[in-house]
Amino acid sequence: MKLRSANVTQGVERAPNRSLFYAMGYTKEELDRPLVGVISAYSEIVPGHAHLDKIAEAVKAGVRMAGGTPILIPAIGVCDGIAMGHIGMKYSLASRELIADSVETMAMAHQLDALVLVPNCDKIVPGMLMGALRLNIPSVVCSGGPMMAGVYDGEEVSLSKMFEAVGARKIGLIDDEKLEECETGVCPGCGSCAGMYTANSMNCLCEAVGIALPGNGTIPAVHARRMQLAKHSGMAVMELLKRDIKPRDIVNAKSIRNALACDMALGCSTNTVLHLLAIAHEAGVAFDLSLFNEVSAQVPNLCHLAPAGPTHMQDLYAAGGIAAVQAELASGGYLDTSLITATGKTLAENIKGAVIKDTGAIRPLSNPYSPTGGLQILWGNIAPDGCVVKRSAVAPEMLTHSGPARVFDSEDEAITAIYNGEIREGDVVVIRYEGPKGGPGMREMLNPTSALAGMKLDRTVALITDGRFSGASRGASIGHVSPEAAEGGPIGLIQEGDIIRIDIPNASINVEVSEEELARRKAAFTPREPNIKTGWLARYARLVSSANTGAVLK
């Protein structure tokens, strides 16, 4: 097997290159082995990443045990919770492309033979995987694992409860003392926040698509098994290198469909729509929004983790994890179990013997929460190219809803109105100019949804945006409206008081205005320019595609 790293380590001509390795303390023996990049997003600003130094060291130990030379390389990562509610959130989704570019850059510049990717939180997971798919060199994802749930008022809780508590405090349902009790109790330690938010959704889907080892999605960050998983990931990538099994051998049309089936069963974040589209794009797989509804119509929803229900990632782990979900889906014929995975084995081999251990966390196919999946794509005159809602987190009475539009041209305007008590039961809050281009950066908006939930309005008020909602959002929160307002999309034509009709079971969303009136409005409509004119985010605004194609760069 000819190694790529020979381009920097072998031959007379590479003596200068080797001299630079020697300057760092590498030995000849290490340079004669495969060079494995361990891409770690460790930092001291992201709770999900605060322990990744230890995970990366365990990965390196596994690589060495299997005969490789591990090389630690850093990656950036934004904490969405800390970035939430201000200009910083504009940088979160956009950073996915920076991360993919940096993985590609470091692996190509130094001719690495293989990669173990060590992310944990929202955009870092898909960003690293997108970079690996571009490179198509043997790769394994080894995430840092979920945070344990916290405790508040004697209940198991996670970050979404904290955001909802702000809404409750704003209208006097709780006092400052209770707010502080929540503040200090919801996030008890390191790991990705404990609900089925975007980070855990993507870590579970990496396992479901086969690019991560079994357990990647659910083993808690603080468990010894997480360190063991990291060591095994280092060993596994050496086996993939030996057998020349590459990311695109694992991530393909069939395995993405498998991941989508798990997505529906688990009730994952709406952001998985953006990320699966982008991952498919990098894998060279034709994939569009219609497939989400096709799979959703077939695959039942088996899990109601926070924010949809009271269970958390530690409960999913104790119930058998993703392997148990996959085994249950496979028993119904919903998965192709013949596909190769990062273990070097097929999915069937990986899940052999897996069973549901707690039907409170994972329901069987015979008793699902819903016969349809956790996500639903909607179309209509507001969203000709589609939009998405986490159906499993919508109260039954809000699956169909009709109400007057309350129109805001930014998240900031909307949250001010919500906090001031200006939103009434039955309203449909429309937040626009928050899309990939218009934001720019497609801010994730947990503050408006959680404020409404904390004010007990999540069962009577709907939200619609060309931006995104957090995986921690619940209620009729409909995001990714495409085309976005900044691209001239019809969401920019909605006026205050227009009646909006939402029909989630029938996948439709429309404003009750005649085609003639919409045409008149469009003729007089000039979209607002993005409000950031400098820096790389301005460049991102010029190059980013629509949400319905994954918000990838053109």
Side-chain angles (χ1 to χ4, degrees), residues 227-407:
M227 300 298 285
Q228 294 161 358
L229 178 78
K231 291 175 183 176
H232 284 131
S233 297
M235 297 180 209
V237 82
M238 294 301 296
E239 180 65 17
L240 296 182
L241 179 61
K242 179 181 176 182
R243 294 173 56 183
D244 196 30
I245 298 173
K246 300 185 179 76
R248 290 184 205 168
D249 298 322
I250 296 172
V251 181
N252 51 47
K254 291 180 179 179
S255 69
I256 291 174
R257 191 182 182 99
N258 277 356
L260 193 47
C262 287
D263 192 333
M264 296 303 168
L266 291 165
C268 290
S269 164
T270 53
N271 287 313
T272 60
V273 175
L274 283 173
H275 299 322
L276 285 176
L277 287 166
I279 286 165
H281 173 76
E282 296 293 354
V285 173
F287 186 45
D288 63 42
L289 285 178
S290 63
L291 186 59
F292 285 87
N293 279 4
E294 179 185 328
V295 175
S296 181
Q298 299 168 355
V299 179
N301 177 226
L302 306 181
C303 301
H304 264 193
L305 290 100
T311 52
H312 293 85
M313 295 304 295
Q314 63 203 47
D315 305 306
L316 181 59
Y317 169 65
I322 302 308
V325 174
Q326 290 175 309
E328 187 68 11
L329 291 176
S331 73
Y334 296 117
L335 299 181
D336 184 339
T337 61
S338 69
L339 305 180
I340 196 70
T341 70
T343 63
K345 300 175 183 178
T346 64
L347 176 57
E349 293 174 290
N350 287 351
I351 64 175
K352 184 178 180 181
V355 295
I356 298 172
K357 300 175 183 177
D358 178 3
T359 56
I362 307 171
R363 288 192 176 185
L365 289 172
S366 60
N367 182 35
Y369 283 101
S370 165
T372 54
L375 297 179
Q376 180 85 332
I377 307 299
L378 314 179
W379 284 274
N381 63 4
I382 292 174
D385 294 337
C387 56
V388 62
V389 63
K390 189 171 183 175
R391 178 177 180 160
S392 60
V394 178
E397 60 267 36
M398 287 298 290
L399 289 172
T400 58
H401 179 75
S402 182
R406 304 298 310 281
V407 181

Side-chain angles (χ1 to χ4, degrees), residues 438-457:
M442 203 177 186
R443 281 197 286 189
E444 191 172 88
M445 292 178 279
L446 181 53
N447 284 340
T449 58
S450 55
L452 289 172
M455 294 173 176
K456 310 301 182 185
L457 290 172

Side-chain angles (χ1 to χ4, degrees), residues 134-150:
R134 286 182 203 169
L135 294 161
N136 205 32
I137 60 175
S139 301
V140 173
V141 173
C142 178
S143 303
M147 185 185 292
M148 301 297 286

Side-chain angles (χ1 to χ4, degrees), residues 465-496:
T465 184
D466 52 10
R468 301 182 295 131
F469 291 119
S470 166
S473 295
R474 58 186 171 98
S477 304
I478 300 164
H480 309 190
V481 170
S482 301
E484 61 177 291
E487 293 266 51
I491 190 173
L493 307 179
I494 299 172
Q495 295 180 1
E496 187 82 7

